[in-house]
Amino acid sequence: MKNKSSALTVNTIAICTLFLWCQKVSLHHAQKQFFRMSTVVEATVVTDQPDAALIPLWNSIDSLLEFWDEHYSQTNMRSDVHRLNTRISPAVLIPRQLGRMMADAMAWGDTTHGMFDLTILPVKELWGLGEGDTVHRRRPSAEALTDAVQKIDYRKVRISPGRDTAYFSNPAVTVDAGGFAKGYALIETGKLLDSRGFRNYLVASGDVVGRGRRCNGKPWRIGIQHPRANRLLAIVPFDTGAVFTSGDYENFWMDGN
């Protein structure tokens, strides 16, 4: 009986100590928004650090996102994707990171029976939905669409086993990294937060990557927008992992017809 009483006392002291420690550290959510890859990326971390102490972290995240913005843009003339799309040879040496992402994107193409196609760029640009397109949008003609579709087929691309070379059997095929690069950028941001010792965070930009829980110990809550109504389709409790969605309601235009 004496042993049970001692154990109860120890447990009570431990619980009280933990409660007082939680009160003392004052965990809170710190947030920062970045405009990269033509969209807003928001990072939220659970921390006991003051805002000023997080400035180096925010700078590191911004530098990482800037790197992805520069290297996987269709329009930046220095990007790996632009170099790929302006190739003069069927075979192009590429960074292994790009090769791995393209190989994954092509596997998604197989899984979706071609509904996801990393070579969709000619049609996107024809509709004025390419990177940076905001003006002079108009409905393309049937003939122009037919011509653009002839340039789309991810099966005309092959990635070497070493993921360092891309081969194109159709010279008109181009790559659109917009469908996959942003998700990988969020994953890399999560890895950066892991390396800095953060165990509870959320990185969101339409897609979401996160770990742990909110500062109150409850799961993160992810709202999924209804594609045809001004309301949420679902709210998903979220612990650790990623949530990726796709729709036609974020990037579109209407011609009034």
Side-chain angles (χ1 to χ4, degrees):
M1 187 73 179
K2 181 178 179 181
N3 290 339
K4 289 183 178 180
S5 177
S6 298
L8 180 62
T9 301
V10 170
N11 288 340
T12 302
I13 293 173
I15 292 171
C16 291
T17 302
L18 179 61
F19 174 78
L20 292 174
W21 180 84
C22 290
Q23 292 271 311
K24 183 178 180 180
V25 296
S26 301
L27 293 175
H28 64 281
H29 292 154
Q31 292 182 324
K32 183 71 173 180
Q33 289 188 343
F34 312 86
F35 188 78
R36 296 292 183 186
M37 300 175 290
S38 301
T39 190
V40 175
V41 179
E42 183 175 82
T44 304
V45 298
V46 175
T47 181
D48 61 344
Q49 300 180 47
D51 291 344
L54 295 173
I55 292 176
L57 172 69
W58 303 140
N59 290 340
S60 295
I61 292 176
D62 191 47
S63 295
L64 183 152
L65 295 174
E66 182 180 26
F67 172 88
W68 282 77
D69 201 358
E70 290 182 352
H71 284 261
Y72 302 110
S73 163
Q74 277 81 248
T75 58
N76 188 327
M77 296 182 65
R78 296 176 298 174
S79 80
D80 297 320
V81 174
H82 185 271
R83 184 171 57 85
L84 197 64
N85 289 341
T86 56
R87 64 192 180 278
I88 58 175
S89 169
V92 185
L93 290 175
I94 56 176
R96 284 188 172 85
Q97 188 171 48
L98 176 57
R100 288 192 293 268
M101 290 192 297
M102 289 178 61
D104 287 344
M106 292 161 65
W108 298 334
D110 291 339
T111 301
T112 60
H113 304 290
M115 294 296 290
F116 181 89
D117 195 318
L118 81 166
T119 66
I120 192 66
L121 187 59
V123 167
K124 283 182 62 176
E125 292 181 333
L126 190 62
W127 278 97
L129 297 174
E131 189 176 291
D133 288 336
T134 57
V135 296
H136 305 305
R137 291 173 171 172
R138 61 181 182 180
R139 183 189 296 271
S141 67
E143 294 78 9
L145 278 172
T146 298
D147 180 65
V149 168
Q150 302 305 312
K151 303 173 184 177
I152 298 172
D153 190 346
Y154 72 96
R155 294 168 298 181
K156 302 297 183 183
V157 184
R158 184 169 63 86
I159 305 298
S160 67
R163 303 296 188 251
D164 59 356
T165 308
Y167 303 91
F168 294 81
S169 58
N170 182 346
V173 167
T174 53
V175 172
D176 175 23
F180 57 86
K182 185 180 74 172
Y184 282 97
L186 299 187
I187 291 172
E188 291 301 316
T189 302
K191 291 180 180 179
L192 186 153
L193 290 168
D194 289 337
S195 71
R196 300 294 178 88
F198 291 92
R199 296 295 175 261
N200 301 276
Y201 59 78
L202 203 67
V203 185
S205 181
D207 303 320
V208 177
V209 170
R211 176 174 179 171
R213 298 194 166 207
R214 292 182 284 168
C215 62
N216 60 7
K218 295 182 179 180
W220 301 101
R221 288 161 56 85
I222 308 300
I224 299 177
Q225 176 67 41
H226 193 294
R228 297 293 179 264
N230 187 24
R231 62 182 175 84
L232 295 178
L233 186 64
I235 297 177
V236 181
F238 181 82
D239 193 328
T240 298
V243 177
F244 293 88
T245 60
S246 181
D248 60 0
Y249 54 90
E250 289 288 345
N251 191 13
F252 69 95
W253 59 273
M254 301 175 67
D255 66 359
N257 294 332

